[in-house]
Amino acid sequence: MSRARQNTLFDGIRIGFDDAIQLTIDSVKAYGARHSVWCIAWSGGKDSTALLTLIIWLIETGQLDPPKRLIVCYADTRMELPPLSTAAYMIIDLLRQRGVEVRIVMAEMDKRFFVYMLGRGVPPPNNNTFRWCTRQIKVDPMATEIGRIVEASESGVLMLTGVRQGESAVRDGRIAMSCGRDGAECGQGWYQQMSGDGFATLAPILHWRVCLIWDWLVMAGGNKHGGWPTSILAEAYGGDEATEINARTGCVGCPLANQDTALDVVLHHRDWKHLAPLKELRPLYRELREPCNRLRQPQPERLKNGSVGKNPYRMGPLTLEARRYALDRILDIQSRCNVPGRPVVDILNGDETARIEELIAANTWPRKWSGDEPLASEPYEEILNGVRQARLWGIGT
């Protein structure tokens, strides 16, 4: 006879708000004392903002003992939705007024989204074979900063994250495999000892449903729970209907998303209607992917077996003309979003613009490209079984 499995927190049992907070407290208490430094990885989105403001409130009200050192790392991709960016920097001001150490984590100049794309000529990312953006402008800079913190710490670092069960099917798969690691039990958060140097991660709101996230963010806006500007996040996610819409937010005009759900929601709010020009970013990215705006590998040298290697005639980087055109378009879009009395839209600042222009003037290209390659839109001859066939890009003639 098989032994019946004991029910866990994640078997469909729905807990209330107070119980959810208590489980978070228990989670941090169980593991927080093992580490003298706590680091909160904060993206500015709803989950990590809920985690951040909750942890600060729990410490301020004596429900959690503070660590010797608390560091908040804000991942500024330079491409966030303007309401989220506005709220994030308002929260940063409040954190610093409270004496909390905040580090703004940003990719180095040449790896920022527009500098990398327009200065170096790398095409916009896509979901098929060329998704370069997330790791480069968000994941790698945060990993580098966390590495600095761990290296400088003598007694271990605990990184608190806003990972939740149910937020992503792919992510849930990883949680299912890992939630029992290092002796962690369901309900105590997703704790992982990452290496032998005392660095670990903990997801204290793993068990929170999206409705609990919004319940907390509403409360966090009141003076009793910190007076955080979390109402701006609600506007970005759908206001009173945020829970039902359950929009995921990423970069403004994200070229990887099927549609700009979060931006569409923002534009329905009267205070953010002036951001409508941002809707022109995705069509611009599609335009830049066209053959007329890119170079193509020329006739490849044949290998000894007669083949031409992998992916011959492939399309490559953006032309210099396409980059200048896109730069002007993006600056125009940004200019039309900036109206008096509203927060400044700053997805492409003066230093970044100057660097793009400098790289274009220096005739900069991605690795293994020289700029002497033919336009991808020009006809070319392909030899198939010894027969020359004239082609346009991807079209037999």
Side-chain angles (χ1 to χ4, degrees), residues 38-343:
W38 295 358
C39 178
I40 299 180
W42 176 39
S43 71
K46 65 183 188 304
D47 296 331
S48 61
T49 300
L51 170 70
L52 169 63
T53 54
L54 176 66
I55 293 296
I56 298 298
W57 177 73
L58 291 173
I59 291 174
E60 290 181 342
T61 55
Q63 298 177 73
L64 281 177
D65 292 330
K68 291 182 178 179
R69 189 179 182 190
L70 175 63
I71 304 172
V72 176
C73 290
Y74 172 57
D76 188 349
T77 66
R78 303 279 298 121
M79 297 297 294
E80 302 296 334
L81 279 171
L84 296 187
S85 179
T86 297
Y89 276 92
M90 292 172 68
I91 290 172
I92 287 171
D93 287 342
L94 291 174
L95 288 169
R96 286 174 171 166
Q97 289 174 23
R98 286 167 156 86
V100 177
E101 180 180 350
V102 180
R103 299 189 183 185
I104 297 173
V105 180
M106 195 179 299
E108 60 185 83
M109 177 64 76
D110 283 5
K111 291 189 176 181
R112 296 180 194 175
F113 186 83
F114 287 131
V115 178
Y116 190 68
M117 185 170 71
L118 303 183
R120 197 168 188 81
V122 179
N126 63 63
N127 277 315
N128 297 322
T129 60
F130 202 54
R131 184 170 181 165
W132 54 263
C133 51
T134 305
R135 176 168 294 279
Q136 182 162 302
I137 66 176
K138 189 171 187 179
V139 176
D140 286 348
M142 183 63 76
T144 299
E145 189 62 37
I146 296 298
R148 294 192 187 103
I149 294 171
V150 171
E151 187 176 355
S153 174
E154 297 179 354
S155 54
V157 174
L158 179 63
M159 184 170 74
L160 304 177
T161 74
V163 171
R164 289 189 305 109
Q165 184 162 22
E167 200 233 358
S168 164
V170 174
R171 186 179 291 165
D172 284 354
R174 294 199 297 270
I175 292 171
M177 291 186 291
S178 306
C179 65
R181 189 171 170 179
D182 298 309
E185 297 179 359
C186 290
Q188 287 189 311
W190 184 32
Y191 179 85
Q192 291 195 65
Q193 186 74 33
M194 305 300 291
S195 62
D197 55 10
F199 174 58
T201 64
L202 178 68
I205 60 171
L206 181 72
H207 53 286
W208 285 47
R209 303 188 310 278
V210 66
C211 58
L212 300 180
I213 293 292
W214 287 115
D215 285 347
W216 168 256
L217 289 175
V218 170
M219 294 174 62
N223 291 332
K224 183 179 178 181
H225 294 89
W228 306 99
T230 46
S231 61
I232 300 178
L233 272 77
E235 294 173 7
Y237 283 89
D240 293 338
E241 299 177 350
T243 302
E244 289 75 17
I245 295 173
N246 196 19
R248 292 187 64 111
T249 58
C251 294
V252 61
C254 175
L256 305 177
N258 292 325
Q259 64 183 85
D260 284 330
T261 303
L263 180 56
D264 290 339
V265 168
V266 166
L267 295 180
H268 277 92
H269 195 283
R270 66 178 184 275
D271 288 341
W272 301 102
K273 288 184 180 295
H274 61 285
L275 299 179
L278 294 175
K279 291 286 289 182
E280 300 172 26
L281 287 173
R282 279 164 53 85
L284 175 61
Y285 300 148
R286 287 196 297 269
E287 183 179 355
L288 291 176
R289 293 194 190 102
E290 294 296 322
C292 62
N293 291 313
R294 299 171 65 180
L295 301 182
R296 172 182 54 78
Q297 282 289 347
Q299 174 72 38
E301 294 183 3
R302 292 195 168 267
L303 304 178
K304 290 182 179 180
N305 63 3
S307 69
V308 294
K310 186 178 180 181
N311 197 18
Y313 309 103
R314 69 184 183 275
M315 284 202 294
L318 304 174
T319 66
L320 296 176
E321 293 76 13
R323 296 189 229 173
R324 294 188 184 98
Y325 163 75
L327 177 60
D328 290 342
R329 284 283 308 276
I330 293 165
L331 289 173
D332 175 64
I333 289 168
Q334 178 171 273
S335 175
R336 285 184 283 127
C337 288
N338 283 320
V339 299
R342 298 300 299 154

Side-chain angles (χ1 to χ4, degrees), residues 342-367:
R342 298 300 299 154
V344 173
V345 175
D346 181 34
I347 57 176
L348 185 55
N349 63 31
D351 290 341
E352 292 160 347
T353 300
R355 182 56 177 161
I356 291 169
E357 292 172 339
E358 181 181 9
L359 290 168
I360 291 175
N363 196 34
T364 307
W365 299 92
R367 188 168 57 92

